[in-house]
């Protein structure tokens, strides 16, 4: 779920809390009026209607404040994520810039053993389903999620959920292309 959608969901939730509080305050006020008319006095039995009103505003404020703190932390984490534009393959040099991790290439300054040494450690600690998604992306950056689904032999929803989880952890990123996404390994993953 992207940040704007999550903001809207939290806003609706907070507004719902306030509306429930206003409704409870109104209902309590109406009951005390009816009860007061029947008994001949205006004393309120039970909590005062303003307790419901201020209580709901307090709870809504706490929920909104907690979300705001978490949202700020998530924003700070995404600032450190590598830019999708920085790792885009160069369209003019199709085969030169997109080298396989395990193969040697004359275009790379470092040897293949140096660049592939950290990757197996990261891939080895991942669960099997995440590894089946991440390995093809590392081998062929820019795969579409449809191609990735075929290579990993997972359902569409499984690929989407796993890619989303890996993207949240900063191991890959995706760029929209038509009705699907192109998936790339993050710079952070290649450094590991």
């Amino acid at each position: 779920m992207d940040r704007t959608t999550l903001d809207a969901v939290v806003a609706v939730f907070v507004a719902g809390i306030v509306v429930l509080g206003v409704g409870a305050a109104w209902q309590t006020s109406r009951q005390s009026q009816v009860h007061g008319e029947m008994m001949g006095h205006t004393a309120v039995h039970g909590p005062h209607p303003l307790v419901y009103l201020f209580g709901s505003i307090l709870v809504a404020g706490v929920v909104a404040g907690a979300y705001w703190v978490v949202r700020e932390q998530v924003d700070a984490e995404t600032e450190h994520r590598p830019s999708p534009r920085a790792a885009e393959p160069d369209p003019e040099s199709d085969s030169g810039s997109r080298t396989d991790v395990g193969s040697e290439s004359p275009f790379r300054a470092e040897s293949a053993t140096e660049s592939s040494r950290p990757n197996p450690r990261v891939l080895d600690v991942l669960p099997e389903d995440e590894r089946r998604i991440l390995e093809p992306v590392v081998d062929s950056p820019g795969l579409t999620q449809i191609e990735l689904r075929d290579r990993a032999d997972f359902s569409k929803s499984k690929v989407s959920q796993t890619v989303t989880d890996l993207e949240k952890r900063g191991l890959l990123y995706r760029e929209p292309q038509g009705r699907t996404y192109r998936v790339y390994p993050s710079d952070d993953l290649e450094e590991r």
Side-chain angles (χ1 to χ4, degrees):
M1 187 179 306
D2 66 342
R3 193 176 71 205
T4 10
T5 307
L6 191 58
D7 287 350
V9 168
V10 171
V12 167
F13 182 68
V14 167
I17 292 171
V18 172
V19 167
L20 286 174
V22 168
W26 182 79
Q27 184 178 9
T28 304
S29 173
R30 295 295 298 157
Q31 285 178 350
S32 67
Q33 286 177 354
V34 169
H35 185 68
E37 290 174 2
M38 290 175 60
M39 300 302 249
H41 57 84
T42 58
V44 176
H45 295 281
H48 194 275
L50 290 179
V51 170
Y52 290 112
L53 181 63
F54 290 130
S56 67
I57 291 172
L58 177 68
V59 169
V62 168
V63 168
Y67 172 68
W68 190 259
V69 168
V70 170
R71 183 178 186 261
E72 293 298 318
Q73 290 174 351
V74 169
D75 285 345
E77 289 175 8
T78 39
E79 286 177 7
H80 300 304
R81 182 180 284 176
S83 169
R85 301 278 181 220
E88 265 186 26
D90 185 15
E92 293 177 7
S93 60
D94 188 46
S95 63
S97 65
R98 292 172 31 175
T99 59
D100 289 342
V101 172
S103 64
E104 288 191 46
S105 169
F107 300 108
R108 297 188 77 153
E110 60 186 355
S111 72
T113 56
E114 290 176 26
S115 66
S116 63
R117 211 176 303 141
N119 283 338
R121 280 187 270 158
V122 173
L123 292 175
D124 289 343
V125 298
L126 292 175
E128 176 65 27
D129 55 344
E130 292 180 351
R131 194 175 322 130
R132 283 173 57 186
I133 294 293
L134 201 53
E135 283 177 341
V137 172
V138 170
D139 291 341
S140 303
L143 285 174
T144 64
Q145 279 191 209
I146 295 168
E147 294 168 332
L148 193 55
R149 181 183 67 202
D150 294 339
R151 288 194 186 185
D153 196 29
F154 283 140
S155 68
K156 181 179 179 180
S157 62
K158 176 70 173 176
V159 169
S160 178
Q161 183 62 46
T162 306
V163 167
T164 300
D165 292 344
L166 290 169
E167 185 176 31
K168 286 178 183 175
R169 295 197 333 244
L171 296 174
L172 52 82
Y173 68 93
R174 41 184 178 178
E175 294 178 350
Q177 179 173 2
R179 296 177 68 177
T180 187
Y181 290 93
R182 288 214 173 265
V183 184
Y184 299 92
S186 69
D187 292 338
D188 200 27
L189 174 66
E190 291 178 358
E191 290 173 5
R192 293 185 205 175

